[in-house]
Amino acid sequence: NTSPRDFTSSNNAVYFLADESPQASDLWKTNGADQSSLVSQQTSTGSVTLNGLYDYQNNLVFLKSELAQGASGYGLQLWSSQGTQASTAPVRNFGIKSGQVSDQPDVAQDPYFATAAGRLFASIDGRNSRGRELWTSYLTSSGTTMLKDIDSGADSSTPHSWISFGGRVYFSASTAQSGEELWSSDGVATQLVQDFMPGPEGSYPSGMLVANGNLYFATHDLGTDGVYSSDDVMKWWQIADPTTSPI
């Protein structure tokens, strides 16, 4: 089982990731014919996995997680490619995190990357004792930086459920103070949109959708027993920049 995944359209072709073995993870290309072509193969003396394939302005970006033989933990790198072996290269090496098991997404099936206002945003564990936080990249090593340590310290805020709206990227992220709430960033200012469920519980924003010039989403409200359940109230909200109001 080669586990083909992350099918992504770029430059009039479809690209995807697959695992040839625990020691070899590949970037492939297909034009819809019966045969696919290998773009790049990443090998390791230990184990290697590629994740998060994403098209950013006709550049393919992905994360490479590797446990080299004898290493104390998994290393992580950001890579980019224009669909050829020669153009496939590392952008930034984040280093090794001791004891890290893998770099599968913390939120199942959720992408690492998003685009807003022409900028690439990423949810990455940068191996800097800050956990998985909000990053941006111009596809250069020096241009790949953490925008904000949303959950200050070693814990991860795990940005996810991205959507682009009004020149900003909106996403869910979690902190010890407010739980999982809605955040936004334009690549310069990153801020909490609103603490819809005041306190550490979190409202778990979901179902984000842009339509008719508005951003719509739902939040979760605790029941009278103070415990999350299927009987809890869901509130729908809309954002018509710059105001936020319940529907």
Side-chain angles (χ1 to χ4, degrees):
N1 185 357
T2 60
S3 300
R5 61 193 178 278
D6 295 349
F7 289 86
T8 303
S9 175
S10 181
N11 294 310
N12 299 314
V14 174
Y15 296 83
F16 61 95
L17 304 174
D19 300 323
E20 188 171 322
S21 72
Q23 291 76 38
S25 194
D26 309 330
L27 172 62
W28 289 82
K29 172 183 178 180
T30 180
N31 58 9
D34 292 339
Q35 190 167 358
S36 301
S37 58
L38 178 65
V39 175
S40 175
Q41 183 177 78
Q42 305 295 319
T43 60
S44 173
T45 56
S47 63
V48 61
T49 304
L50 306 183
N51 281 309
L53 188 64
Y54 181 81
D55 177 72
Y56 170 65
Q57 299 180 347
N58 293 323
N59 291 280
L60 294 160
V61 293
F62 57 90
L63 293 174
K64 174 184 176 180
S65 177
E66 179 181 7
L67 178 63
Q69 192 172 34
S72 60
Y74 273 79
L76 185 68
Q77 297 177 341
L78 173 65
W79 282 64
S80 71
S81 175
Q82 293 182 340
T84 66
Q85 175 68 51
S87 66
T88 304
V91 173
R92 173 162 174 165
N93 185 352
F94 296 101
I96 293 175
K97 186 172 184 178
S98 179
Q100 182 79 356
V101 176
S102 71
D103 276 282
Q104 298 292 335
D106 295 321
V107 179
Q109 305 302 316
D110 200 75
Y112 286 104
F113 302 103
T115 303
R119 182 188 288 262
L120 178 67
F121 294 86
S123 179
I124 294 176
D125 185 338
R127 287 9 187 197
N128 57 357
S129 300
R130 293 293 183 267
R132 185 173 169 186
E133 294 293 347
L134 183 67
W135 288 67
T136 188
S137 179
Y138 291 104
L139 301 188
T140 65
S141 181
S142 61
T144 302
T145 57
M146 187 173 69
L147 284 175
K148 187 176 181 67
D149 183 11
I150 294 173
D151 193 11
S152 181
D155 291 335
S156 297
S157 69
T158 314
H160 66 97
S161 301
W162 316 91
I163 194 165
S164 177
F165 173 69
R168 303 180 69 85
V169 64
Y170 287 78
F171 56 94
S172 290
S174 181
T175 68
Q177 292 75 31
S178 62
E180 186 166 315
E181 293 290 355
L182 185 66
W183 289 70
S184 76
S185 178
D186 61 1
V188 179
T190 301
Q191 60 200 38
L192 176 68
V193 174
Q194 184 171 320
D195 190 357
F196 295 96
M197 174 66 69
E201 293 86 2
S203 68
Y204 294 90
S206 61
M208 287 186 274
L209 172 70
V210 174
N212 300 321
N214 296 305
L215 171 61
Y216 298 92
F217 60 96
T219 60
H220 203 97
D221 203 357
L222 286 176
T224 56
D225 56 1
V227 178
Y228 286 112
S229 74
S230 59
D231 297 327
D232 293 346
V233 175
M234 297 296 292
K235 292 182 179 179
W236 279 96
W237 298 78
Q238 69 178 33
I239 296 177
D241 197 23
T243 62
T244 304
S245 59
I247 298 176

